[in-house]
Amino acid sequence: MASLCRLCSLVLVLQLLHIYSLGIYGFKHQTGKDNVTSPTNGKLFPWNKMRLPDMVVPIQYDLCVHPNLTSVHFTGLERIEIFVRENTNFIILHSKGLEITSAVLLPKDDLGSSKPKQLQVLEHPAHEQIALQAPEVLTAGQRFLVVIEFHARLADGFDGFYKSTYKTRVGETRIIATTDFEPTSARMAFPCFDEPSFKANFAITIRRERKHIALSNMPKIKTIELEGGLLEDHFDVTVKMSTYLVAYIVCDFTSVQATTSSGIKVSIYASPDKWSQTHYALETAVKLLEFYEKYFDISFPLPKLDLVAIPDFQSGAMENWGLITYRETSLLYDPKTSSAFDKLWVTKVIGHELAHQWFGNLVTMEWWNDIWLNEGFARFMELVSVSATYSELQIEDYFLNVCFGAIARDSLNSSHPISNPAETPTQIKEMFDTVSYDKGACILKMLQDFLSEAVFQKGIIHYLKKYSYRNAKNNDLWNSMVNTCSESDFSSGNFCYTASRPLSSTFSHMWKLTEIEEMMNTWTLQKGIPLVLVKCEGNTLRLRQVRFLKGVFEEDPEWANLQSRYFWHIPLTYVTSSSNTVHRHILKTKTDTLELEGEVAWVKFNVDMNGYYIVHYEENGWNNIIKLLDQNHTLFSHKDRVNLIHNAFQLVSAGRLSLDTALDLTRYLRHESSNVVLLQGLGYLEMFYHMMERRNISDVTENLKRYILQHFKLVIDRQAWSDEGSVSDRMLRSDLLGLACELQYPPCIQKANELFSKWMGSGGTLNLPADVLKTVYSVGAQTIAGWNYLLKQYSLSMSGAEKNKILYALTTSRDFEKLTKLIELGMEGEVIKTQDLAALLHAVARNPEGQGLAWNFVRKNWNKLLKKFELASFSIRTIIVGTTSRFSSKDKLEEVKHFFRSLEDQGSQLKITEVVLETITKNIRWLKRNLNGLRNWLLNNL
């Protein structure tokens, strides 16, 4: 197809035909809005479904956009080449919040002689659709050009084509214009077929002032100077892609660049004062891009890749093809203020978004019900890519928490299947959640472990090559795993796998690959997670599987109904006392037995937690494990020890194990040498401490504090206030010192105060160890002078990593007025940006003194919050969960229910409200069932 400049020729044709009084760009017109009609104006809209018809499909968009950063408006002119698949006299596409001032139709192959035809524009705001009504039938098999003029304000939120601002070091406010379209916001920037299966090519032209630059998915091919001093940048035509991946930015950013070994130009852009924080991202992006090209055996298809730090950004990042946009804290790394965790975070987010350039961009899910094919794979590829390129970051340990997060959500009845129906924009946004991302990643890890890394890799390469520039469904992935043979394999004699060939005995089990789809459908088409019950009788293992549910017990009347029809094909792994060999067994029935070779002292299932299931060792199973850990905990790998601790406390929540037993299991931790295991065990004790503190159960709160400080004193005292050691050592230091100071451990408070005083005395110029900054700031924030100074430094800091630590510290104040002031600043959006309001409310609610404040604020200001964030947005869901899910009383449960009912009455219905209500109910039942047990255990163990 022609490049962007051809759009100007089209305008000239229209000018010759006297359709408009057009300037060179085509924004002045004489038609007014006579042909724009709404169904409310008496004319019926010709389409009544949320999904677009496929009678007409787009081939290429030529899009010219001019954002005026002074008036904060933008104007646009687009030419869409369409192909008519079925006879029709209307074209349905998406548009939201755009003022359409003209629409005409031209035959594709007869521009010079045919007269353009006016298209009447009908609007259907509820479906975010417009219909372009043609004066006569468009015949199947023909191509046409649809030319649309439109304009709108740059959006104030975070979706579509929106305004973002930043402050320079000297306090000057500057404006940029940027886009964020996923999942359904391209329609806010230009009229389009805004569904993932309507892939097309895009030729973008951007008008700008000389002081700005323009960026888009493809490289700039030329710049034209226009009358009046404006510049017009023309970008190369994109590859075939979905609308949600289109992106363009007008800004004044600076960049660093490098070139990969395959010749791809990689650039990192940020506001000028933050240029020095871009270098780590550049090194990481180059290394990861080179890794992916090799791993997927598919070259990155674009000549360049830009990564841009956006000052106002709602999520972590967005994978626009060739122009990835990031929240500043997800891309920028400041060696002075970024901790070990910050470094891991930046690395894995870059890994995630680069994985999307293949999973999501090259091969896109057919519809949003399978968004996990994008997000689950990208989350999983974080593990694969960062393990291979930055092994020192030990992301394998972090990935355990990914699966723990998935289990926390999936063990509630309010969870949903990975592949789940979603039709409306609200339902689609809600699909971007823990289940799609984290559970998706964890079942892929399980499948990789089951098939072997080599077979799994070959399967996904086959999937990517087969569906390149196309759309795929759930089953397409499993079919690709089954049939990894390509024509080149047959001609070259390479070994591959087909549906008719079983897995080789290399994988320790014989299983036909045709059964992979059947197995994986049990993980993607039904919600929930299985519980495997293991009973050891001599050399016989008796296995059962049931659905694992927290907060619902076997004696409850609803238990049987919640269990019926649920079962999984579970690829079990286990080791025993007599062998380090990993044994495998597929549990495909409700019950099964395994015969071991001779009697064994112990058996451990779910080796290294590569599987997605909970295990309960019945009868004396857990007591035997406790004895083993006390005697020699290194019998189990560190991942297995984390898995055992996690399983034990999950089983307490399900009424399968006493809290005494789970707590007894943690007593060996005083001998634990693995940092990740220590943090797992401590995490549960810390969670119980906060629950007791919030409910003002003072005796248990005090005893938990005493127990933690006594039991873990040696490891706390060993922590240096520095940035030395491995990433694991540094993360342990950050978390452990933070907890010790929160529990008012005198040596911790004393050291933190000393460092804070020095930092404050230096005017904020003293470089403190980044790993302890949050702890030092939090202790400093407890005085009036310290809190006020931190707020001042927050407004001056050029480091997002530092600002995050300061903001968290400010929320730890026990002063009600100061917490109120923070929320007010978050609502104003100047000192504390609106993008950080959700995290702010979440952090304030974590504070026992702020929980009621945050919750009451949300109830009173709900409509104001909806003006800042869309209903099902990540921010709104974070606010709902963050301010309510820690409640554990019946009074609060009724309060929350009442509020959610009022939202439903207003038409605001969200799935997340079911999750919250179930979580609060679970908390209430946990407390009722375990409070006395916790109280007595502490008395017996202090």
Side-chain angles (χ1 to χ4, degrees):
M1 267 304 292
S3 68
L4 289 164
C5 55
R6 294 288 180 87
L7 190 50
C8 292
S9 349
L10 172 66
V11 172
L12 291 173
V13 170
L14 295 175
Q15 193 173 28
L16 290 170
L17 292 166
H18 306 291
I19 302 302
Y20 302 111
S21 271
L22 285 174
I24 199 166
Y25 193 62
F27 286 114
K28 296 179 182 176
H29 57 87
Q30 303 297 322
T31 60
K33 283 186 63 187
D34 296 339
N35 63 332
V36 179
T37 313
S38 162
T40 56
N41 289 354
K43 187 149 186 176
L44 286 176
F45 197 79
W47 188 250
N48 62 3
K49 296 185 173 111
M50 290 292 297
R51 299 276 292 272
L52 297 180
D54 61 0
M55 297 175 291
V56 174
V57 294
I59 305 298
Q60 174 159 323
Y61 296 76
D62 287 79
L63 175 64
C64 292
V65 180
H66 177 203
N68 186 321
L69 301 190
T70 304
S71 65
V72 208
H73 279 75
F74 68 94
T75 48
L77 172 67
E78 70 177 337
R79 178 186 75 174
I80 312 174
E81 180 185 341
I82 60 167
F83 176 73
V84 182
R85 297 179 59 188
E86 297 176 29
N87 289 357
T88 179
N89 64 348
F90 57 83
I91 303 161
I92 308 293
L93 59 165
H94 288 106
S95 178
K96 180 183 179 184
L98 299 173
E99 188 84 3
I100 295 172
T101 49
S102 67
V104 298
L105 184 75
L106 289 150
K108 165 72 170 63
D109 300 320
D110 196 14
L111 285 181
S113 57
S114 294
K115 185 177 180 181
K117 294 170 183 174
Q118 293 275 2
L119 293 169
Q120 187 178 31
V121 182
L122 307 174
E123 297 174 345
H124 194 333
H127 287 183
E128 301 176 357
Q129 293 172 355
I130 57 171
L132 304 180
Q133 192 92 37
E136 58 194 44
V137 173
L138 308 180
T139 310
Q142 288 189 304
R143 294 191 180 209
F144 292 91
L145 299 175
V146 177
V147 184
I148 305 173
E149 274 191 273
F150 56 94
H151 63 87
R153 280 188 62 85
L154 287 170
D156 288 322
F158 304 90
D159 303 292
F161 194 21
Y162 70 94
K163 174 189 72 173
S164 175
T165 63
Y166 73 92
K167 275 193 168 63
T168 65
R169 198 178 292 278
V170 296
E172 178 194 354
T173 298
R174 294 183 181 175
I175 297 174
I176 72 164
T178 186
T179 58
D180 193 23
F181 292 162
E182 191 179 32
T184 59
S185 295
R187 64 194 67 174
M188 296 173 66
F190 59 99
C192 56
F193 298 81
D194 199 13
E195 292 179 4
S197 61
F198 287 99
K199 290 193 170 188
N201 302 100
F202 295 83
I204 309 292
T205 300
I206 305 290
R207 279 188 168 184
R208 62 177 173 86
E209 293 182 63
R210 193 175 297 276
K211 65 182 179 181
H212 294 129
I213 61 168
L215 302 170
S216 191
N217 304 83
M218 296 296 287
K220 185 172 65 175
I221 52 176
K222 68 176 178 179
T223 299
I224 298 171
E225 186 162 356
L226 305 174
E227 290 182 18
L230 286 178
L231 300 178
E232 187 174 87
D233 291 332
H234 294 244
F235 296 88
D236 210 346
V237 182
T238 71
V239 294
K240 195 176 178 184
M241 66 186 196
S242 304
T243 47
Y244 77 88
L245 296 170
V246 174
Y248 37 89
I249 301 169
V250 173
C251 63
D252 62 346
F253 289 176
T254 53
S255 65
V256 290
Q257 294 97 22
T259 304
T260 68
S261 56
S262 59
I264 308 299
K265 182 184 175 186
V266 178
S267 304
I268 313 294
Y269 286 86
S271 58
D273 288 329
K274 296 176 182 176
W275 178 85
S276 62
Q277 300 173 44
T278 58
H279 301 286
Y280 177 71
L282 181 64
E283 171 211 310
T284 304
V286 168
K287 192 182 282 192
L288 287 168
L289 191 59
E290 290 175 343
F291 168 81
Y292 281 132
E293 286 194 309
K294 185 176 179 182
Y295 185 89
F296 295 136
D297 192 32
I298 300 171
S299 298
F300 181 67
L302 310 184
K304 65 89 177 174
L305 177 64
D306 299 333
L307 295 80
V308 188
I310 305 295
D312 299 280
F313 204 82
Q314 188 166 199
S315 60
M318 176 57 211
E319 66 266 21
N320 317 297
W321 214 344
L323 181 62
I324 309 175
T325 45
Y326 292 79
R327 183 182 277 240
E328 289 182 334
T329 49
S330 297
L331 186 66
L332 304 181
Y333 177 79
D334 176 17
K336 293 179 181 177
T337 59
S338 295
S339 65
F341 181 80
D342 293 329
K343 191 171 197 176
L344 173 61
W345 177 258
V346 168
T347 311
K348 79 180 202 69
V349 176
I350 293 173
H352 183 104
E353 302 310 324
L354 263 61
H356 272 312
Q357 306 302 296
W358 286 265
F359 278 101
N361 299 11
L362 185 65
V363 180
T364 311
M365 75 278 138
E366 190 170 284
W367 183 248
W368 301 105
N369 61 304
D370 279 331
I371 186 59
W372 87 275
L373 290 174
N374 287 18
E375 299 301 348
F377 255 109
R379 178 72 88 234
F380 171 69
M381 290 308 300
E382 293 172 19
L383 171 68
V384 175
S385 64
V386 178
S387 294
T389 54
Y390 290 92
S391 57
E392 71 276 10
L393 294 180
Q394 298 167 288
I395 194 173
E396 299 91 343
D397 292 342
Y398 175 86
F399 192 78
L400 296 171
N401 289 318
V402 170
C403 297
F404 294 155
I407 291 167
R409 172 70 185 275
D410 213 22
S411 56
L412 300 176
N413 191 47
S414 50
S415 185
H416 64 81
I418 285 179
S419 185
N420 196 50
E423 292 296 320
T424 68
T426 295
Q427 291 167 348
I428 290 166
K429 287 187 183 77
E430 285 205 284
M431 284 296 291
F432 289 77
D433 69 353
T434 299
V435 173
S436 297
Y437 283 72
D438 298 344
K439 181 180 178 179
C442 296
I443 67 164
L444 289 170
K445 180 74 172 76
M446 179 170 66
L447 181 61
Q448 181 199 45
D449 180 66
F450 171 68
L451 292 176
S452 83
E453 289 186 21
V455 175
F456 181 86
Q457 182 180 357
K458 193 166 183 73
I460 62 175
I461 289 171
H462 180 62
Y463 169 77
L464 289 170
K465 288 184 175 179
K466 182 175 181 180
Y467 294 100
S468 288
Y469 305 105
R470 294 165 59 197
N471 297 82
K473 302 187 293 294
N474 208 30
N475 288 344
D476 295 326
L477 175 62
W478 313 138
N479 290 335
S480 295
M481 291 292 180
V482 170
N483 297 293
T484 66
C485 297
S486 64
E487 286 184 24
S488 62
D489 288 320
F490 287 116
S491 59
S492 66
N494 287 341
F495 186 68
C496 59
Y497 307 88
T498 66
S500 59
R501 178 184 290 173
L503 282 165
S504 77
S505 57
T506 310
F507 307 116
S508 310
H509 54 88
M510 293 291 289
W511 210 50
K512 286 185 179 178
L513 279 160
T514 47
E515 297 178 24
I516 286 179
E517 181 178 343
E518 186 183 356
M519 178 177 89
M520 295 311 295
N521 280 344
T522 69
W523 298 95
T524 59
L525 301 184
Q526 66 178 347
K527 63 184 177 182
I529 177 172
L531 168 65
V532 177
L533 299 109
V534 180
K535 187 183 290 185
C536 197
E537 298 176 354
N539 63 344
T540 301
L541 293 178
R542 302 202 180 278
L543 308 176
R544 284 191 297 138
Q545 64 160 297
V546 296
R547 182 184 175 195
F548 179 73
L549 285 166
K550 288 199 290 193
V552 184
F553 310 126
E554 277 190 279
E555 62 268 25
D556 294 336
E558 65 267 33
W559 170 263
N561 187 48
L562 292 173
Q563 288 292 332
S564 65
R565 302 183 307 281
Y566 284 91
F567 87 98
W568 290 259
H569 292 189
I570 311 172
L572 298 175
T573 56
Y574 63 97
V575 290
T576 70
S577 57
S578 62
S579 169
N580 285 328
T581 302
V582 177
H583 303 278
R584 298 178 182 273
H585 177 74
I586 310 294
L587 181 60
K588 294 198 287 182
T589 53
K590 288 277 191 178
T591 61
D592 206 348
T593 58
L594 287 175
E595 296 298 327
L596 304 175
E597 295 179 6
E599 288 197 25
V600 297
W602 55 266
V603 61
K604 163 68 174 69
F605 275 82
N606 199 0
V607 179
D608 285 340
M609 206 184 142
N610 286 321
Y612 185 74
Y613 53 93
I614 302 287
V615 182
H616 179 34
Y617 303 93
E618 296 190 288
E619 296 182 344
N620 288 322
W622 282 104
N623 289 329
N624 291 338
I625 288 169
I626 290 168
K627 287 175 188 172
L628 285 166
L629 289 170
D630 282 338
Q631 292 163 8
N632 180 11
H633 62 274
T634 60
L635 285 170
F636 305 108
S637 71
H638 82 277
K639 289 182 183 177
D640 277 339
R641 301 197 298 273
V642 172
N643 180 225
L644 287 168
I645 292 170
H646 174 263
N647 276 201
F649 284 101
Q650 297 306 300
L651 290 165
V652 172
S653 294
R656 295 272 180 180
L657 194 67
S658 72
L659 181 60
D660 284 13
T661 305
L663 288 167
D664 285 346
L665 184 125
T666 66
R667 285 188 307 200
Y668 93 93
L669 287 172
R670 62 186 177 276
H671 306 302
E672 181 58 74
S673 55
S674 166
N675 296 335
V676 67
V677 184
L678 265 172
L679 288 174
Q680 183 66 25
L682 259 172
Y684 285 107
L685 297 173
E686 184 180 359
M687 181 176 72
F688 300 153
Y689 172 81
H690 287 136
M691 180 185 277
M692 299 302 126
E693 186 185 31
R694 278 191 294 272
R695 289 299 305 275
N696 199 26
I697 305 171
S698 55
D699 64 317
V700 183
T701 304
E702 188 59 31
N703 283 339
L704 265 168
K705 171 181 163 180
R706 285 177 56 208
Y707 177 79
I708 293 169
L709 292 177
Q710 283 178 20
H711 202 67
F712 296 96
K713 182 178 189 301
L714 290 177
V715 69
I716 292 171
D717 289 344
R718 278 203 307 268
Q719 302 308 307
W721 293 71
S722 70
D723 287 339
E724 295 170 358
S726 69
V727 168
S728 172
D729 291 337
R730 295 175 63 187
M731 288 188 183
L732 177 70
R733 175 184 302 130
S734 292
D735 287 359
L736 206 53
L737 290 177
L739 177 59
C741 280
E742 188 176 1
L743 297 179
Q744 301 300 303
Y745 183 49
C748 187
I749 296 291
Q750 182 181 343
K751 183 66 176 178
N753 271 324
E754 177 190 323
L755 290 173
F756 186 80
S757 296
K758 287 180 180 176
W759 176 73
M760 197 168 155
S762 74
T765 59
L766 178 68
N767 290 328
L768 297 176
D771 293 331
V772 299
L773 276 182
K774 191 161 81 167
T775 299
V776 171
Y777 291 161
S778 296
V779 171
Q782 303 314 306
T783 66
I784 294 173
W787 195 92
N788 289 334
Y789 187 75
L790 280 165
L791 183 59
K792 177 188 170 188
Q793 289 302 113
Y794 179 87
S795 65
L796 297 174
S797 176
M798 285 288 132
S799 163
E802 182 180 39
K803 288 171 85 81
N804 273 357
K805 295 173 182 64
I806 294 175
L807 187 58
Y808 174 84
L810 292 168
T811 68
T812 64
S813 170
R814 298 301 174 104
D815 187 320
F816 186 85
E817 289 182 4
K818 287 189 168 16
L819 296 177
T820 302
K821 181 177 181 179
L822 282 180
I823 295 175
E824 288 170 354
L825 290 172
M827 283 297 282
E828 287 168 10
E830 291 295 325
V831 176
I832 300 173
K833 279 185 165 286
T834 302
Q835 67 171 6
D836 297 315
L837 178 58
L840 170 67
L841 288 167
H842 191 291
V844 169
R846 183 184 178 276
N847 183 337
E849 299 301 319
Q851 185 170 13
L853 169 67
W855 166 233
N856 290 331
F857 173 83
V858 170
R859 287 192 293 166
K860 290 175 185 173
N861 294 275
W862 180 254
N863 290 330
K864 291 180 183 176
L865 290 169
L866 285 185
K867 288 178 182 175
K868 294 180 179 292
F869 310 108
E870 294 208 350
L871 178 62
S873 64
F874 173 76
S875 295
I876 285 293
R877 285 180 283 146
T878 298
I879 288 168
I880 290 173
V881 171
T883 56
T884 59
S885 61
R886 294 187 184 91
F887 289 141
S888 57
S889 70
K890 289 183 179 178
D891 288 348
K892 287 298 178 187
L893 177 62
E894 289 307 311
E895 220 173 75
V896 175
K897 278 182 180 176
H898 177 75
F899 177 64
F900 288 167
R901 277 195 296 266
S902 74
L903 298 188
E904 287 179 22
D905 293 342
Q906 298 169 33
S908 302
Q909 198 152 6
L910 290 174
K911 180 75 176 171
I912 197 70
T913 58
E914 296 174 32
V915 177
V916 166
L917 294 176
E918 191 175 355
T919 300
I920 298 172
T921 304
K922 171 185 68 72
N923 295 344
I924 292 168
R925 298 199 74 179
W926 191 97
L927 204 57
K928 182 179 179 182
R929 198 176 180 102
N930 296 298
L931 177 58
N932 286 333
L934 177 60
R935 178 179 277 124
N936 292 333
W937 188 89
L938 287 167
L939 291 172
N940 292 332
N941 284 274
L942 274 170

